[in-house]
Amino acid sequence: MRHLLPTLVLALSCALAVNAQALDATAPAFPLDAGSARNLPVLAQHGMVVAQERRAARIGRDILRQGGNAVDAAVAVGFALAVTLPQAGNVGGGGFMLVHLAKGNRTIAIDYREMAPVNTATTVFLDANGNFDPKLSQQSVLGTGVPGTVAGLALAEHNYGSGHFTLAQLVAPAIKLAHDGFKVDDGLALSLHYGAARLRRYPSSAAIFLHPDGTPLVAGDRLVERDLATTLQAIADKGPDGFYRGPVAEKLVAAIRAGGGHMSLDDLGSYKAIVRAPVTGTYRGHTIVAMPPPSSGGVHIVQILNILEGYNLASYGAQSAKTIHLMAEAMKLAYADRSKYLGDPDFFHVPVAGLTSKLYAAKLRANIDPDHARPALDIAPGHPAPYESPQTTHFDVVDAEGNAVSNTYTLNFFYGLGEVAPGTGVLLNNELDDFAARPGVANAFGLVGGAANAPGPRKRPLSSMAPTMVFDSEGHLELVTGTPGGSRIITMIVEIISDMIDFHMNIQEAVEAPRFHDQWLPDILFCERGFSPDTLNLLSAMGHHVKIVPAFGSAESIAVEGSELQGATDPRQRGTWAAGY
Ligand code: DON
C-alpha cells in the first residue's frame, strides 16, 4: 500500500477542484474536511474521523483537536450518531469496537452486542405450529435485545480514553444537538421517507420523526429529540447507571412489557460489555485484526483470505471473472461453516483457531474447482479442528499518536423496530432476529444457522459486523475499516482488503469498486452494477447464478501511509464524511 503517495499528491489539486464541499477559500490544502472525491481519499496529517454523517464526524475531529485520543473521539461520535443518524446510530442497540493502542502496540475488541432477556425460550420466534414467524423477531419487541451501546462506549472510555475528558464532556455535543435540534439534510430526509411507514405505527416515534399529518420530516425541517436529550443527560450525570437503572430503564421495560416482551429491570441492570481478544490472521504478509465471536466477521474474513492466499489473484486481475469466481467459491465455504460453528462463545464452543488455520484453508481450497461454480447443495459445513475455536453504521478514528478505533453498531433494521420507547427518545432494536429461530430457517439477511445460534436466556445473537484493522509486516497500522450490510459485511471487507493488497488500489478506489457477494445460501452471486457484461457472462457460464442488485454497504475507512491519513467515505450513501486536521 506504500506506492500511493506520489499519485495522491499529484491528484490533490484535482480532488479539490471537483469536490465543492471541500472548498474553503481560506483553508490550506490540509486539513481537509469533506466527502471524498471520486477515487481519491481525503487527506489529513494529525487525526481523522470517517463516519456516515458529517456533524458527528466533525464532533469527533474536534475532540481530537482538543487533545482527546481516538477512543475519546469515538465515544463522542457514537453518542452523536444516535442523534444525527437515528436510523442506525443508537443508544438502544449494540455493536463491536476494535481499539488499537499505539503504546504497547496492542489491539483489543469490545463486545457490546445486545443480549436476550433471561426469559427467552429457544422457541420464542415460532408460531403455534412450530414454524418461524418473522413478525415476532422483526416486528415485535420480542426481537429487542438488551441494548449494549451505552455500556460499550462507557467501558471504552473508562479503560482506554485519554483521561482528559469525562464521559459527560463526550456526551455533551450529542445532548446539545438532540435538545436544540438540527436541520434535516438530504440523507436523513431520504431515510425518514423510507422509514416513515414503520415509524408511523408508533405514536411515540411519529411525534419525533413525522409531521402531525403523518408525513416524514423533509430536508430543511428541524429534528428535535428532547426525550433523547434527557436520556443522554442521565448518562452524562450517572454514567451507564443513568440508562440501565432508574427512570430510563423503567421506561424501556414498560415499553417492552406493553408490547408483550419479557425484558426486566434485572436484564438491563446486569448487562455488561465484554473485552475480548480479537481474531487475528495474515494475508500475504499483512496482519488482519478483526472481531471475534459473537461476531462471525473476523473469523470468516480471515478464513476467506486464507483460502484466497493460495491463488495468484494479482495475475488474474481485479474484477476478472476468474478472480470473482475464486472469491465467490471461498465465500460460500465460509458461510456454510458459519451456519454450523458460529454463535455466542459464552454458550457454545466456537472453533476459532480451527476455522482460521491455514491448514484448514488449504483443505477447503483443494475442493474449489477453478473453472466451475459448485452448486450450494453440494456444499456443507466442513470439519475444522474442533479445539484449537437495512441498517447499521460504521466509523473509524485515528489520532496523532497512532491509536485507532474501528466501530460498527446497529439497531439491526432501519430505525430498529421503528418504536421509540415512550418518554426516552430511544429507538428499540430488533437484533434478536439475528438468532437462528429454527435450524435451517433463514433470518432477514437470508442467513441460516443451528444450535450454535439458537435463541436462549442472556445469549448474544451471532453478528456479521466486522470492524477490522490491517497492519503491515512491521506492525504498522495501515487500514481501519468496516461497513453495515448484514450478511454482506464480511465479503465487502474481504474485497476491500484484497483490492488494496492484491490490486494496489488506493483506499477510495477499493471502497468504490463494484461489490459482489455469495453467502452459499441462497445459491446466488449478488453483483452490484458496474461489472462488465462479458465478465458476468463468463461467471454465468461457470455455473454462478448471477443477480444484479442495488448498491450495498457504507464502508467508511482510513488508510495510513507514513504520516498521512487517507479517509475514504462510501459514495453509496448520502452524507458520509471524513473530518481530518
Ligand atoms: O449484526 C448483524 O450482523 C446485523 N444485525 C447487522 C445489520 C446490518 O448491517 C443492517 N445494515 N445494513
Side-chain angles (χ1 to χ4, degrees), residues 119-345:
N119 188 356
T120 300
T122 311
T123 52
V124 58
F125 301 129
L126 306 185
D127 65 17
N129 301 320
N131 295 320
F132 173 43
D133 180 355
K135 280 201 294 303
L136 298 177
S137 60
Q138 297 170 12
Q139 294 178 41
S140 92
V141 287
L142 288 174
T144 304
V146 179
T149 297
V150 175
L153 296 179
L155 180 145
E157 181 55 21
H158 179 266
N159 288 12
Y160 311 109
S162 67
H164 301 323
F165 291 84
T166 60
L167 188 65
Q169 286 171 313
L170 300 175
V171 184
I175 296 175
K176 185 165 168 39
L177 279 166
H179 183 271
D180 298 353
F182 60 93
K183 228 156 106 173
V184 172
D185 58 18
D186 288 351
L188 180 52
L190 192 70
S191 107
L192 287 168
H193 170 76
Y194 288 125
R198 291 170 56 243
L199 294 166
R200 204 172 286 132
R201 284 196 224 135
Y202 303 97
S204 52
S205 308
I208 300 168
F209 298 109
L210 309 180
H211 294 125
D213 69 356
T215 57
L217 299 189
V218 295
D221 283 344
R222 220 171 166 72
L223 173 61
V224 179
E225 297 161 277
R226 286 274 156 82
D227 286 342
L228 182 58
T230 307
T231 294
L232 291 168
Q233 190 62 55
I235 296 166
D237 294 343
K238 301 199 180 98
D241 279 356
F243 183 85
Y244 291 99
R245 298 174 198 281
V248 174
E250 283 159 18
K251 287 175 191 157
L252 291 172
V253 166
I256 287 168
R257 291 288 167 105
H262 307 301
M263 198 180 293
S264 67
L265 282 174
D266 185 53
D267 287 319
L268 280 161
S270 54
Y271 182 85
K272 293 225 167 358
I274 301 173
V275 175
R276 300 188 188 271
V279 168
T280 58
T282 60
Y283 186 59
R284 305 195 204 281
H286 301 256
T287 299
I288 314 296
V289 179
M291 208 64 217
S295 172
S296 60
V299 165
H300 296 306
I301 287 169
V302 170
Q303 182 186 14
I304 295 169
L305 290 172
N306 279 343
I307 297 172
L308 296 177
E309 205 173 34
Y311 300 110
N312 188 352
L313 295 185
S315 73
Y316 306 143
Q319 289 146 31
S320 67
K322 181 143 186 154
T323 294
I324 295 173
H325 166 69
L326 293 172
M327 291 179 82
E329 294 301 291
M331 290 169 183
K332 284 183 205 170
L333 297 170
Y335 281 85
D337 280 352
R338 185 188 189 280
S339 72
K340 179 166 178 184
Y341 295 111
L342 270 288
D344 183 344

Side-chain angles (χ1 to χ4, degrees), residues 113 390-392 410 412 431 434 445 463-465 484-486 489:
R113 181 72 162 163
Q391 184 76 339
T392 301
T410 188
N412 196 29
E431 210 74 58
D434 282 344
F445 296 98
S463 175
S464 302
M465 289 189 283
I489 291 171

Side-chain angles (χ1 to χ4, degrees), residues 8 21 30 43 68 90 102 135 219 225 274 340 354 380 463 472 506 530:
L8 288 172
Q21 285 164 316
F30 290 96
L43 307 181
N90 66 81
K135 280 201 294 303
E225 297 161 277
I274 301 173
K340 179 166 178 184
S463 175
D472 70 14
N506 74 41

